[in-house]
Amino acid sequence: DPIAVSDGPERLSYRDLTRHSNQLAHHLRALGVGPGTRVGLYIRRSAAMVVGLLGILKTGASYVPLGMSDPESRVHRVLEDAQISVLVSEDILGRGRVSFNGPLVRLDSDRHILERTNAADLASDVGPDDTAYIAYTSGSTGIPKGVVALHRGIVNRLAWIWDVFPFKKHEVCCQRTPLAFVDCVAEIFGPLLKGIPLLV
């Protein structure tokens, strides 16, 4: 029941966050998303962004963050290079700005579909050496290059953070970096896995 994530107007309890992300995960599974699949995440920084992240990871797939302020040409290059099979976005963002031929899941305007989807936890056999996400750098040549991040690396970093910078009761953690920047992973999962409210 405690608040897990808020972005000002929207506040999600851990129960809400679990339900919404499970529903997204089941919907993505129905679209063929699973281990080895790469799902694009093109979304503004919000509580819905966290739902999108968790929903993708719960399928066993890896997420590929797409920069909201990136030029259209870069976004298209990343979509093509990463071989994105499904794009999770929002209605206002998914129309016009980015052309994508595969399935587009809009967390806002598809809410009525997602709300009718199974909300049970999904079984997963993802291991430490499976890919969690692929972040694209600018590349020394100016061409974006994907850097693969494994679940093992994320868990190791979180363990270090919890040891060196332990959270205290009644603290709130601010999520401030863009989704495509690697530090956002620790900013999001560090507090959430310790029961600390996340303010986006």
Side-chain angles (χ1 to χ4, degrees):
D1 291 321
I3 296 300
V5 59
S6 65
D7 60 15
E10 185 166 17
R11 296 161 60 91
L12 297 176
S13 67
Y14 277 90
R15 187 189 316 277
D16 296 332
L17 182 59
T18 299
R19 185 179 81 253
H20 291 324
S21 59
N22 282 354
Q23 288 171 328
L24 173 60
H26 279 285
H27 184 69
L28 290 172
R29 276 270 174 93
L31 294 173
V33 173
T37 309
R38 297 169 181 175
V39 178
L41 190 56
Y42 185 66
I43 195 167
R44 62 190 170 85
R45 290 176 56 248
S46 61
M49 173 188 76
V50 181
V51 170
L53 277 175
L54 289 175
I56 293 167
L57 290 172
K58 286 180 178 190
T59 67
S62 53
Y63 69 89
V64 180
L66 300 161
M68 294 294 305
S69 59
D70 287 346
E72 188 176 342
S73 58
R74 177 186 165 93
V75 173
H76 285 135
R77 177 165 182 85
V78 171
L79 285 169
E80 183 178 311
D81 186 71
Q83 299 177 344
I84 301 297
S85 58
V86 177
L87 182 62
V88 174
S89 186
E90 293 170 298
D91 192 50
I92 192 170
L93 306 173
R95 292 188 183 188
R97 176 137 161 52
V98 175
S99 58
F100 179 69
N101 294 328
L104 173 64
V105 179
R106 300 161 298 186
L107 294 182
D108 46 6
S109 56
D110 289 340
R111 187 77 244 158
H112 65 287
I113 298 170
L114 296 171
E115 285 289 351
R116 296 194 304 266
T117 305
N118 189 351
D121 291 331
L122 281 78
S124 174
D125 59 356
V126 170
D129 294 315
D130 287 314
T131 302
Y133 68 91
I134 302 173
Y136 274 77
T137 67
S138 58
S140 57
T141 62
I143 298 173
K145 294 181 177 70
V147 177
V148 174
L150 306 180
H151 285 275
R152 179 188 305 277
I154 295 173
V155 171
N156 286 343
R157 182 167 185 193
L158 293 178
W160 175 82
I161 286 174
W162 294 331
D163 184 51
V164 178
F165 303 106
F167 294 105
K168 297 176 184 171
K169 197 174 181 181
H170 305 304
E171 284 188 330
V172 173
C173 188
C174 179
Q175 197 286 311
R176 58 183 175 73
T177 57
L179 187 59
F181 187 57
V182 69
D183 281 355
C184 84
V185 175
E187 281 183 354
I188 292 171
F189 296 113
L192 281 181
L193 291 171
K194 286 293 185 179
I196 302 296
L198 182 67
L199 175 63
V200 179

